[in-house]
Amino acid sequence: MDKDEIHLRRLPAAAPWGPHTDSEFHGVDFLPEDLNEAPEETRMRVNKKYSCLPAEEKGIHIINIRAIEDIGYDQHESTLLNSLSKNPDADCKYGLYFRDGKRKVDYILVYHYKKSSAGRTLTRRVHHNDSSARSAKQDQPLPGKGVQLEMRESEPHVDYHEDDKRFRREEYEGNLVEAGLELERDEDTKIHGVGFVKIHAPWNVLCREAEFLKLKMPTKKMYQINQTHGLLKKINSVIQKITEPIQPKVAEHKPQTVKRLSYPFSREKQHLFDLSDRDSFFDSKTRSTIVYEILKRTTCTKAKYSMGKGEGRKKDTTLLNKRRKCGKYGITSLLANGVYSAAYPLHDGDYEGENVEPNDRKLLCEEWASYGVFYKYQPIDLVRKYFGEKIGLYFAWLGVYTQMLIPASIVGIIVFLYGCATVDENIPSMEMCDQRNNITMCPLCDRTCSYWKMSSACATARASHLFDNPATVFFSVFMALWAATFMEHWKRKQMRLNYRWDLTGFEEEEDHPRAEYEAKVLEKSLRKEHKHKEKHRYFPEETANKWRQRTDKEKLTWKDRFPAYLTNFVGIIFMVGLTFAIVFGVIIYRISTAAALAISSTPSGRSSVRVTVTATAVIINLVVIIILDEVYGCIARWLTQIEVPKTDKNFEERLIFKAFLLKFVNAYTPIFYVAFFKGRFVGRPGDYVYIFHSFRMEECAPGGCLMELCIQLSIIMLGKQLIQNNLFEIGIPKMKKFIRYMKLKRRRSLDHEEHMKKKQRYEVDYNLEPFAGLTPEYMEMIIQFGFVTLFVASFPLAPLFALLNNIIEIRLDAKKFVTELRRPVAVRAKDIGIWYNILRGIGKLAVIINAFVISFTSDFIPRLVYLYMYSENGTMHGFVNHTLSSFNVSDFQAGTAPNDPMDLGYEVQICRYKDYREPPWSENKYDISKDFWAVLAARLAFVIVFQNLVMFMSDFVDWIIPDIPKDISQQIHKEKVLMVEVFMREEQGKLQMLETWKDKDKRKGENCNNHSPRLSRSHSGSLSSCHSYPLDV
């Protein structure tokens, strides 16, 4: 017998009505042959119950069906129900619609259940709708669940936690039906042990919720968008023709000349809206948002639990009593407790294949999520239409940031080329490379290191000039103004998007409390209630009720959260200390490795010590940063969870703050050390500073620490972008996808016939990765923004590498959202939230850090001081000798002098070191000289002048560029005026109708008064009939 065919035995008309509990008919409810003979109440229930089924299924009057093997009917005694030849999956577009092929699936709930080994269950695709649920809710369990009940009753082992979850699902789904949603269940899927609940929101529910959420919807009224005239119009047309090849080929991206007037949806004013096509009036993004709001709002309060007798019942009684007192079980709580394993809206369809129907997902894949269109603009309006405003704003911000990196990259390249062009004209580096100067430098380490010639550091000095030249100062000022301009440009772009997306009057409402917060409040109220009962055992019932009402309004205070706050403070301090300790460990590695390599007898080995130590230390720093980034992300989430924030928005903001703080310290601490601390606390020959009395603090190269800072910054920035951002984002999803493919392949070998069928849409989406939020995406871009702005004076090519990374990053993130992730719930937002404040903070900090880098890390200020105070001929000749101090080798401490003083081939009496100190023949030998104080004063003055000047210029840019574009403010004002006109016209129409009806009423009254006396007896009746027509405004 075919698996899809069902054998039934019809009962005679005289058979008693209702379910037969005989072993032969166990688990099946039958209807009599003549339904009219059934009781009227039952007839009504059955008709209502199956009124939502498609026509071809209405004839099957079976409430609960068990497997054919379990029922045990004989073929010759049964009536055969032939399966339809038409593929039912094709009617519902493989899961995008209900089984009737008409109602669209707006949301999916997924749960795990344990299948019985007694036999394979038949397909349970069960329909719920508004009419059936209310009539059947008290009479019988939710359809499709009786089978599991009966099968579990026959099993010897009962899992009470599974029963609890199942009963909570039943109650929750019943409440969803009462809220107006329509449900359909499917447990006969290719994913064994996983059931799906499909949810559809009918028209009346969509209208009701759209009104509650104050969704702005387009009205019938259309108006002309203000167009530019004259020269601006010609310029815009030329720009459009030039940029036409890089515009995406989507309808939403084309420039519009007219716009529909938008107004918050209202059921009383439906005549204002264009409802000619109700199926497309609310798009899939809006429908899923509405359903998600209902899912969050709908509660599961009873937490029914049909436990049997025995130890299991006693074991879970306490937990059950607590659960029953919890008044709220929204979808977030049910997901957290494992009642449902997932909840998500469906993608619009497939994005690849030969016979794929056109849909927004496929269009996004072709015009946005493809590396072949990297040179095109993003179709932001289509992204917003499919994923919602919050994700649309992220990609819009990323696009603006990437566009603004283009001018910064061009200027950075020019600055770098200027350094390359002037390297041969740089007098200080030429003096360092000139072997005729014969400057002998003091040893870089004790005993094992010998004296060395300054000309051996020629390559380092020439390379330093590429980044340490007067153009870098200009570039630092430029990047500070660039950051301010970028922020202002984004604010204006954000306002344009708010206008286009009808978010101008949108205000975020307080979100629903999180499941963890509600559980914590419940625990607190239960604890107080227990204490209250202990104190007042014999109080009357009224007092207990008042106390219960008071505990219902319980909330968490700072006293409740104080242990979590203390843990957060200690944890963050510990993590910051751990980062410092690791950086200190890398410093020890650098010092010890430099000393070990200096013992090398080969001259080439000794000359490459500094480069080898620097490169290996930076790679170690990079590996540690990548590892700690993942660790700190998990720790920040845990620290935020123990705080128990009330709403998801509070949780996200606190998580972002902690994660950014830890990752900022982790990424920039090694760079801060090289920029501001290395070489500052070295001491001098004969009086060096030691760590643990054995390791001498390392010094900067003769050309300064700026070159080393450049190497450190470039390797960490490029390494993070290449490994963490791109390799992880590509590699990890591919690896997870491969693991899922291998699991499915193993199952396919066990059940080949089952897997030959095409998967439903909700099954395919279930195998995708869940959406984890935008925090990781924003975080990597914010850290990159810090690399671009904070130390840009040492690495002018940072904007260029950021630009190249972002071109790939946009398409990589787009591909991930379209093909690798489940469709996220669309969230309305009018800005990027806390990230904007973080960006502004980094922009302000960048001004200060670049001022200190220029004045203290580079030699820009010492050169200016020498040029205007000490130079004899107004040139830089003699600058290198001016920055070097002298040391008598006889003043070395015991045991610190070089083991081989004759390494250079001659005896050294005076060696040089970089510092401003008195010579050994002075009265105050080795004391800090006056030159040091002059340079220090100039450096501090430069910091103050640079910081205030650039801050003033940034604020001036902020002030001179308005936040709202003039044309957008005019359009917003125009919309308000037009809306007032629409309502005034509507009111005038109503008044005219009332005046017309009054005139008609008056004329009819006069006609009634002119009747003959014979009709006087019926005068009052006829008069009343004249006034009895209904008045409908």
Side-chain angles (χ1 to χ4, degrees):
M1 181 177 133
D2 189 63
K3 291 182 180 179
D4 293 333
E5 296 176 349
I6 303 174
H7 283 89
L8 300 177
R9 176 181 297 173
R10 284 205 175 273
L11 297 181
W17 171 254
H20 287 252
T21 56
D22 195 313
S23 60
E24 183 182 1
F25 305 106
H26 178 67
V28 183
D29 290 357
F30 292 97
L31 303 182
E33 291 182 352
D34 189 0
L35 183 63
N36 295 326
E37 295 180 11
E40 184 179 354
E41 180 186 352
T42 307
R43 257 193 343 262
M44 288 174 62
R45 192 175 74 237
V46 172
N47 288 335
K48 281 183 180 180
K49 179 173 181 58
Y50 292 96
S51 62
C52 64
L53 294 177
E56 62 269 23
E57 294 181 19
K58 286 185 181 177
I60 308 174
H61 294 288
I62 303 171
I63 296 174
N64 291 326
I65 304 176
R66 289 200 56 181
I68 302 301
E69 294 82 0
D70 297 338
I71 297 175
Y73 295 141
D74 294 328
Q75 188 169 354
H76 65 277
E77 294 178 346
S78 61
T79 303
L80 182 64
L81 293 179
N82 294 319
S83 60
L84 297 173
S85 59
K86 192 175 180 181
N87 185 5
D89 290 339
D91 292 340
C92 65
K93 293 188 179 179
Y94 294 97
L96 288 173
Y97 287 82
F98 277 21
R99 299 298 296 175
D100 57 11
K102 297 177 181 177
R103 291 173 290 172
K104 189 174 183 180
V105 177
D106 298 319
Y107 219 87
I108 291 290
L109 299 180
V110 187
Y111 60 91
H112 288 274
Y113 68 94
K114 293 185 178 179
K115 277 193 174 183
S116 172
S117 59
R120 185 183 167 208
T121 57
L122 291 176
T123 304
R124 303 181 194 92
R125 287 185 170 95
V126 184
H127 305 257
H128 303 257
N129 72 355
D130 208 4
S131 60
S132 65
R134 291 181 178 86
S135 61
K137 191 177 178 187
Q138 284 82 20
D139 302 351
Q140 58 197 33
L142 289 174
K145 298 177 182 176
V147 179
Q148 297 175 39
L149 257 164
E150 293 163 4
M151 292 168 75
R152 282 188 175 87
E153 286 173 2
S154 62
E155 292 174 2
H157 175 71
V158 179
D159 190 340
Y160 298 116
H161 289 288
E162 287 298 320
D163 283 350
D164 183 32
K165 291 178 183 179
R166 181 164 51 84
F167 278 121
R168 278 199 272 172
R169 282 198 297 269
E170 288 179 4
E171 183 192 353
Y172 183 69
E173 289 164 16
N175 291 339
L176 291 179
V177 173
E178 285 187 352
L181 298 178
E182 297 176 6
L183 313 181
E184 183 178 87
R185 184 183 303 279
D186 185 4
E187 288 183 359
D188 186 33
T189 62
K190 297 179 187 178
I191 308 173
H192 296 286
V194 175
F196 296 89
V197 178
K198 295 174 275 187
I199 302 177
H200 168 77
W203 173 256
N204 61 329
V205 174
L206 293 172
C207 294
R208 182 190 71 203
E209 297 298 324
E211 185 173 349
F212 291 166
L213 296 174
K214 300 175 183 177
L215 295 180
K216 272 192 171 184
M217 304 302 294
T219 62
K220 297 176 184 176
K221 176 71 175 176
M222 301 181 73
Y223 67 95
Q224 194 82 15
I225 297 176
N226 292 339
Q227 300 293 320
T228 55
H229 300 284
L231 182 61
L232 285 176
K233 186 176 181 180
K234 293 180 180 179
I235 295 173
N236 287 338
S237 63
V238 171
I239 292 173
Q240 286 179 7
K241 288 180 181 178
I242 294 173
T243 59
E244 188 175 356
I246 60 174
Q247 300 291 344
K249 297 177 182 177
V250 295
E252 287 79 1
H253 201 77
K254 294 178 180 177
Q256 297 178 348
T257 57
V258 292
K259 186 178 184 292
R260 286 189 179 273
L261 195 64
S262 296
Y263 184 73
F265 188 83
S266 172
R267 287 172 289 181
E268 295 180 354
K269 299 184 182 297
Q270 286 192 29
H271 58 277
L272 295 177
F273 303 94
D274 184 11
L275 304 179
S276 57
D277 186 5
R278 290 189 173 187
D279 293 336
S280 62
F281 183 73
F282 295 106
D283 56 16
S284 59
K285 169 203 53 132
T286 308
R287 296 175 71 99
S288 62
T289 303
I290 287 173
V291 173
Y292 183 64
E293 288 296 324
I294 298 175
L295 292 176
K296 286 197 298 184
R297 192 177 65 231
T298 304
T299 57
C300 169
T301 55
K302 295 180 182 177
K304 295 179 285 185
Y305 200 94
S306 64
M307 293 189 297
K309 299 178 180 179
E311 296 179 2
R313 184 179 180 88
K314 295 176 183 177
K315 187 176 180 181
D316 295 316
T317 301
T318 308
L319 178 64
L320 177 62
N321 289 336
K322 286 184 179 180
R323 283 176 177 172
R324 280 175 176 162
K325 292 174 183 176
C326 181
K328 295 179 182 178
Y329 268 109
I331 187 61
T332 52
S333 302
L334 296 174
L335 287 169
N337 294 331
V339 178
Y340 291 102
S341 58
Y344 52 89
L346 291 179
H347 280 292
D348 279 359
D350 291 326
Y351 60 90
E352 59 183 359
E354 296 180 359
N355 300 322
V356 176
E357 294 184 5
N359 57 70
D360 287 342
R361 189 188 187 194
K362 186 174 185 294
L363 188 59
L364 282 171
C365 189
E366 293 172 352
E367 294 294 328
W368 182 52
S370 173
Y371 295 110
V373 294
F374 73 92
Y375 60 92
K376 289 188 176 183
Y377 285 100
Q378 298 182 85
I380 292 298
D381 291 323
L382 185 59
V383 174
R384 173 253 178 180
K385 178 185 174 186
Y386 193 80
F387 291 109
E389 286 79 5
K390 192 171 185 179
I391 294 176
L393 281 173
Y394 163 70
F395 281 103
W397 173 83
L398 185 55
V400 170
Y401 172 46
T402 305
Q403 288 176 11
M404 289 293 292
L405 282 173
I406 295 174
S409 303
I410 294 172
V411 177
I413 292 171
I414 293 172
V415 170
F416 178 74
L417 293 177
Y418 171 81
C420 294
T422 58
V423 68
D424 292 329
E425 301 173 3
N426 183 39
I427 295 175
S429 62
M430 290 171 61
E431 287 184 348
M432 289 181 65
C433 295
D434 190 359
Q435 296 184 1
R436 293 174 297 179
N437 288 333
N438 197 25
I439 299 176
T440 303
M441 303 296 294
C442 295
L444 295 174
C445 61
D446 293 341
R447 294 188 300 276
T448 56
C449 299
S450 185
Y451 305 104
W452 55 284
K453 292 280 190 180
M454 174 171 269
S455 58
S456 64
C458 175
T460 306
R462 288 174 64 86
S464 296
H465 178 72
L466 301 178
F467 306 101
D468 187 4
N469 55 68
T472 56
V473 180
F474 158 76
F475 191 57
S476 299
V477 176
F478 170 81
M479 288 303 293
L481 298 179
W482 172 88
T485 307
F486 163 60
M487 300 304 295
E488 291 305 308
H489 178 47
W490 166 243
K491 280 197 289 188
R492 290 168 64 84
K493 177 71 173 179
Q494 193 170 253
M495 282 306 303
R496 289 188 182 276
L497 293 176
N498 285 342
Y499 166 70
R500 261 163 46 193
W501 296 349
D502 299 322
L503 294 171
T504 48
F506 171 70
E507 293 294 335
E508 292 185 12
E509 297 179 357
E510 188 175 358
D511 202 356
H512 298 275
R514 297 172 62 247
E516 292 80 359
Y517 180 84
E518 290 180 347
K520 202 76 176 177
V521 170
L522 169 66
E523 185 182 338
K524 181 181 178 181
S525 61
L526 288 174
R527 199 162 49 241
K528 283 190 174 183
E529 189 176 344
H530 179 71
K531 290 180 182 178
H532 181 79
K533 285 181 179 178
E534 290 293 328
K535 289 182 180 179
H536 310 279
R537 288 187 177 180
Y538 306 105
F539 262 55
E541 188 65 25
E542 278 184 41
T543 311
N545 289 335
K546 286 181 181 178
W547 170 258
R548 201 170 290 113
Q549 289 175 3
R550 208 163 66 209
T551 55
D552 286 342
K553 299 178 181 178
E554 200 68 60
K555 63 180 182 180
L556 297 183
T557 61
W558 70 268
K559 292 182 180 178
D560 301 316
R561 292 194 174 103
F562 181 75
Y565 290 153
L566 184 62
T567 306
N568 270 260
F569 179 76
V570 174
I572 290 174
I573 294 296
F574 175 76
M575 291 300 120
V576 172
L578 176 64
T579 304
F580 289 163
I582 291 173
V583 172
F584 183 74
V586 174
I587 295 171
I588 299 296
Y589 162 79
R590 294 163 66 111
I591 296 171
S592 58
T593 306
L597 291 176
I599 304 174
S600 173
S601 57
T602 60
S604 60
R606 286 196 296 268
S607 63
S608 61
V609 167
R610 192 178 297 276
V611 176
T612 305
V613 170
T614 301
T616 54
V618 172
I619 292 172
I620 292 172
N621 275 327
L622 174 63
V623 173
V624 170
I625 286 171
I626 291 173
I627 294 172
L628 287 184
D629 259 1
E630 304 301 321
V631 175
Y632 286 168
C634 298
I635 291 175
R637 181 168 290 275
W638 176 75
L639 290 175
T640 310
Q641 286 173 346
I642 64 174
E643 280 188 45
V644 198
K646 184 175 181 180
T647 62
D648 287 330
K649 185 180 178 182
N650 292 341
F651 181 88
E652 186 180 17
E653 288 181 350
R654 296 185 185 195
L655 173 63
I656 288 169
F657 175 75
K658 293 181 184 65
F660 173 74
L661 178 63
L662 292 175
K663 292 188 177 186
F664 181 90
V665 172
N666 180 40
Y668 296 114
T669 300
I671 301 173
F672 269 93
Y673 163 72
V674 175
F676 303 121
F677 296 98
K678 184 179 179 182
R680 308 292 171 193
F681 311 100
V682 177
R684 60 170 180 83
D687 188 20
Y688 283 115
V689 177
Y690 291 90
I691 302 174
F692 305 132
H693 302 286
S694 56
F695 296 107
R696 202 176 93 184
M697 290 293 291
E698 56 182 344
E699 305 175 40
C700 288
C705 280
L706 197 69
M707 185 61 198
E708 190 171 342
L709 176 62
C710 173
I711 295 171
Q712 184 105 3
L713 184 66
S714 60
I715 292 179
I716 291 177
M717 177 183 176
L718 296 177
K720 271 180 67 68
Q721 290 184 166
L722 181 65
I723 298 173
Q724 194 173 26
N725 298 353
N726 294 334
L727 195 62
F728 282 9
E729 286 191 21
I730 296 172
I732 291 177
K734 293 289 184 187
M735 191 182 299
K736 290 181 178 179
K737 196 173 183 179
F738 178 74
I739 293 171
R740 288 196 300 268
Y741 170 76
M742 294 303 294
K743 287 181 179 179
L744 289 174
K745 191 175 180 182
R746 197 176 298 119
R747 288 178 183 173
R748 200 171 296 161
S749 60
L750 298 174
D751 196 355
H752 179 73
E753 184 182 344
E754 184 75 18
H755 284 272
M756 287 301 290
K757 295 188 294 184
K758 184 176 179 180
K759 280 187 176 182
Q760 303 289 327
R761 178 79 260 155
Y762 43 86
E763 294 178 86
V764 177
D765 287 3
Y766 178 69
N767 288 327
L768 298 176
E769 286 294 311
F771 175 62
L774 289 170
T775 301
E777 314 298 334
Y778 272 114
M779 188 66 71
E780 64 183 71
M781 288 295 106
I782 297 297
I783 296 296
Q784 185 204 83
F785 182 78
F787 283 122
V788 168
T789 54
L790 292 179
F791 296 94
V792 75
S794 63
F795 190 39
L797 295 179
L800 174 64
F801 289 111
L803 173 64
L804 297 176
N805 174 79
N806 287 4
I807 291 173
I808 301 172
E809 182 73 23
I810 289 175
R811 307 303 164 180
L812 182 65
D813 284 347
K815 197 171 186 66
K816 182 172 68 174
F817 272 82
V818 174
T819 64
E820 301 287 343
L821 298 179
R822 293 175 191 160
R823 188 174 184 178
V825 180
V827 178
R828 286 190 298 168
K830 61 189 301 184
D831 51 39
I832 59 175
I834 193 176
W835 296 110
Y836 182 81
N837 297 327
I838 293 175
L839 285 169
R840 285 189 66 87
I842 291 177
K844 300 293 184 185
L845 184 63
V847 177
I848 302 171
I849 289 178
N850 281 304
F852 276 94
V853 167
I854 293 169
S855 60
F856 284 91
T857 309
S858 74
D859 283 338
F860 178 73
I861 299 300
R863 286 172 187 166
L864 286 180
V865 172
Y866 176 78
L867 186 65
Y868 293 105
M869 290 182 63
Y870 300 103
S871 178
E872 297 177 357
N873 53 5
T875 64
M876 292 302 296
H877 289 286
F879 169 73
V880 174
N881 187 58
H882 177 76
T883 59
L884 298 177
S885 299
S886 301
F887 177 75
N888 194 332
V889 297
S890 61
D891 293 332
F892 272 123
Q893 290 182 354
T896 62
N899 295 332
D900 186 9
M902 299 294 294
D903 185 57
L904 294 178
Y906 57 88
E907 184 180 357
V908 178
Q909 294 182 349
I910 299 294
C911 66
R912 310 294 296 274
Y913 62 97
K914 190 171 184 179
D915 204 348
Y916 291 100
R917 291 182 180 271
E918 296 290 343
W921 51 83
S922 172
E923 294 181 2
N924 304 315
K925 65 176 183 178
Y926 306 133
D927 284 352
I928 294 174
S929 64
K930 295 178 181 179
D931 298 343
F932 172 83
W933 298 111
V935 171
L936 180 62
R939 282 173 165 166
L940 294 175
F942 176 83
V943 169
I944 295 171
V945 172
F946 182 89
Q947 175 186 334
N948 287 282
L949 177 64
V950 175
M951 288 282 191
F952 169 76
M953 294 170 69
S954 300
D955 292 340
F956 179 75
V957 169
D958 192 355
W959 172 76
I960 203 172
I961 301 175
D963 293 346
I964 304 176
K966 187 177 180 181
D967 59 327
I968 296 299
S969 60
Q970 289 175 353
Q971 299 290 356
I972 293 172
H973 178 70
K974 186 177 181 179
E975 276 196 355
K976 292 179 180 177
V977 173
L978 286 173
M979 188 55 67
V980 170
E981 287 180 2
V982 168
F983 286 124
M984 289 299 294
R985 201 173 295 130
E986 187 181 355
E987 290 296 324
Q988 289 173 2
K990 286 182 180 179
L991 290 173
Q992 288 177 1
M993 290 175 67
L994 286 172
E995 291 293 334
T996 305
W997 286 337
K998 283 181 181 178
D999 292 341
K1000 288 183 180 179
D1001 189 23
K1002 198 173 184 182
R1003 283 197 296 269
K1004 284 190 178 182
E1006 291 175 356
N1007 292 336
C1008 290
N1009 290 331
N1010 293 333
H1011 283 180
S1012 60
R1014 287 180 300 173
L1015 301 174
S1016 61
R1017 279 176 289 182
S1018 61
H1019 174 72
S1020 58
S1022 62
L1023 188 61
S1024 63
S1025 66
C1026 291
H1027 295 277
S1028 63
Y1029 57 85
L1031 183 66
D1032 186 14
V1033 180

